[in-house]
Amino acid sequence: MSKTDFLSFLVPPLPYFIEGNFTTYQKGDWHPNRYNLGYFDVIIIKEGLLHIGEEDEAWKVSENYALILEPDKHHFPIEACTGQTSFYWFHLQTNSTWRAQSSPNPITPSSPIPELHFHSEHTTIHLPKFQKIINPHELFSKLDYLLASTLKPRKLALWETQQTFVNIFKNLEYDENYKNSSAKLAEQIEIYLKQNYKITITNRDLEAHFHVHQNYLARCMKAAFQRTPLEYLMDYRLDQGRSLLLQTDWSVQQITEETGFSQASYFSKCFKEKFGMSPKNYRQQYWKPAN
């Protein structure tokens, strides 16, 4: 373990994105040698290895690992790249209090926020200085989106870039309620299923997307939600179908297609198994004729 294991930020205000890019080094290339950069430098390796030092500490940052270098310290390469190395990097800064710590201890604000009305609480966000990325594919997609947003017209880029950055910042956060990597993965699977329930999803699709064996995906979901990914997907699709039966006058065939089922007969069969009646009878039970 390094002497500094966490970088802790008092929020609000939230840290903000300055700049970033995706860089590839070839064999023999060296990472820059820098003093007092002035902002945090976050490095996330997609392929290869960087051997980086900061003051009297050193890390071998390999594929799917992230390292955060501090703004007021000297960081430098320890070895040249031994092979092609590709990585995302971005700089961030904060106008709030931050602290390098060996454990995730809260920071006490010097001036508390008034509590007369609706208000934002001060809290402390902890980022591990060096960590393995739990779901690299998802994070890489967000980073690609972040970098693409910076190329848009200035006004649009301002909001889109900073909003995307907040999501990335959250991905890197240490959350004591989710110390277990399997719980984090289950949460990511849930988000993916809810975002993509209208399309065909198989265990092989999930395996390819998350780069984790389908058996492990199933164990994570069962531990968190008591259902496998496909069982969760089925329940979510049926819940969406039930809402559409009550809120629209769409035909069962339309609802079948909208909720990701391949055939109306299969949708009706699954619906009856869960809710005890056919989609048509379910709608009639709650439907009231207009006066």
Side-chain angles (χ1 to χ4, degrees):
M1 301 289 284
S2 63
K3 294 179 181 178
T4 297
D5 294 317
F6 294 92
L7 300 177
S8 303
F9 299 81
L10 182 66
V11 298
L14 284 163
Y16 56 91
F17 172 82
I18 299 175
E19 61 179 347
N21 211 336
F22 183 75
T23 299
T24 297
Y25 289 161
Q26 302 301 326
K27 181 178 179 180
D29 288 344
W30 294 74
H31 189 266
N33 184 354
R34 291 169 171 157
Y35 294 84
N36 298 323
L37 187 61
Y39 34 75
F40 297 89
D41 187 8
V42 183
I43 297 170
I44 304 172
I45 306 295
K46 187 172 186 180
E47 174 191 18
L49 171 70
L50 287 179
H51 196 176
I52 298 178
E54 182 185 69
E55 303 292 350
D56 57 351
E57 302 177 41
W59 300 268
K60 289 185 177 181
V61 193
S62 57
E63 182 177 320
N64 299 334
Y65 274 83
L67 173 68
I68 306 177
L69 300 170
E70 296 170 49
D72 53 353
K73 292 184 177 179
H74 174 209
H75 45 90
F76 48 90
I78 294 177
E79 295 178 7
C81 293
T82 57
Q84 179 171 294
T85 299
S86 299
F87 60 97
Y88 295 91
W89 62 267
F90 61 86
H91 297 151
L92 66 91
Q93 189 52 284
T94 181
N95 292 325
S96 187
T97 303
W98 70 276
R99 189 177 299 160
Q101 305 191 102
S102 59
S103 58
N105 300 312
I107 300 174
T108 302
S110 56
S111 55
I113 293 177
E115 299 182 2
L116 290 176
H117 305 288
F118 296 109
H119 63 281
S120 294
E121 297 280 356
H122 269 126
T123 189
T124 306
I125 292 177
H126 307 285
L127 301 187
K129 189 171 178 69
F130 181 63
Q131 65 172 295
K132 181 175 176 60
I133 303 302
I134 300 301
N135 186 1
H137 181 81
E138 201 77 20
L139 181 58
F140 295 159
S141 295
K142 290 180 179 179
L143 286 164
D144 288 335
Y145 190 82
L146 172 72
L147 298 179
S149 73
T150 64
L151 302 177
K152 295 186 176 182
R154 182 179 298 272
K155 185 67 174 180
L156 180 61
L158 169 66
W159 296 106
E160 193 168 318
T161 298
Q162 297 302 333
Q163 287 170 353
T164 305
F165 171 71
V166 168
N167 278 330
I168 291 170
F169 194 80
K170 186 176 184 296
N171 268 76
L172 298 175
E173 179 190 5
Y174 168 81
D175 187 343
E176 61 184 357
N177 295 318
Y178 287 96
K179 293 179 183 177
N180 189 332
S181 62
S182 67
K184 286 186 178 181
L185 180 57
E187 185 181 67
Q188 291 299 318
I189 297 168
E190 179 192 28
I191 292 171
Y192 178 82
L193 293 174
K194 286 183 174 180
Q195 290 177 339
N196 298 280
Y197 73 93
K198 296 181 183 182
I199 65 174
T200 300
I201 300 175
T202 67
N203 281 322
R204 286 186 178 274
D205 294 329
L206 294 172
E207 191 174 71
H209 181 81
F210 290 100
H211 303 283
V212 176
H213 195 278
Q214 59 185 269
N215 290 344
Y216 182 67
L217 296 175
R219 286 201 301 273
C220 292
M221 284 294 286
K222 290 200 81 168
F225 299 105
Q226 295 75 55
R227 287 168 286 182
T228 67
L230 296 189
E231 288 170 346
Y232 186 97
L233 176 62
M234 173 65 76
D235 283 345
Y236 188 75
R237 283 172 167 165
L238 290 171
D239 286 338
Q240 296 304 304
R242 178 175 62 171
S243 295
L244 291 172
L245 284 168
L246 299 178
Q247 297 171 11
T248 73
D249 59 357
W250 291 1
S251 68
V252 172
Q253 180 61 42
Q254 284 178 287
I255 293 174
T256 296
E257 296 170 359
E258 180 69 15
T259 53
F261 284 91
S262 57
Q263 295 181 343
S265 58
Y266 183 57
F267 168 70
S268 297
K269 175 179 177 293
C270 295
F271 191 94
K272 187 171 183 178
E273 287 176 356
K274 181 172 183 178
F275 298 109
M277 62 185 75
S278 69
K280 181 180 178 180
N281 290 339
Y282 187 88
R283 172 178 270 168
Q284 288 177 341
Q285 180 180 2
Y286 294 97
W287 181 80
K288 293 181 179 180
N291 293 330

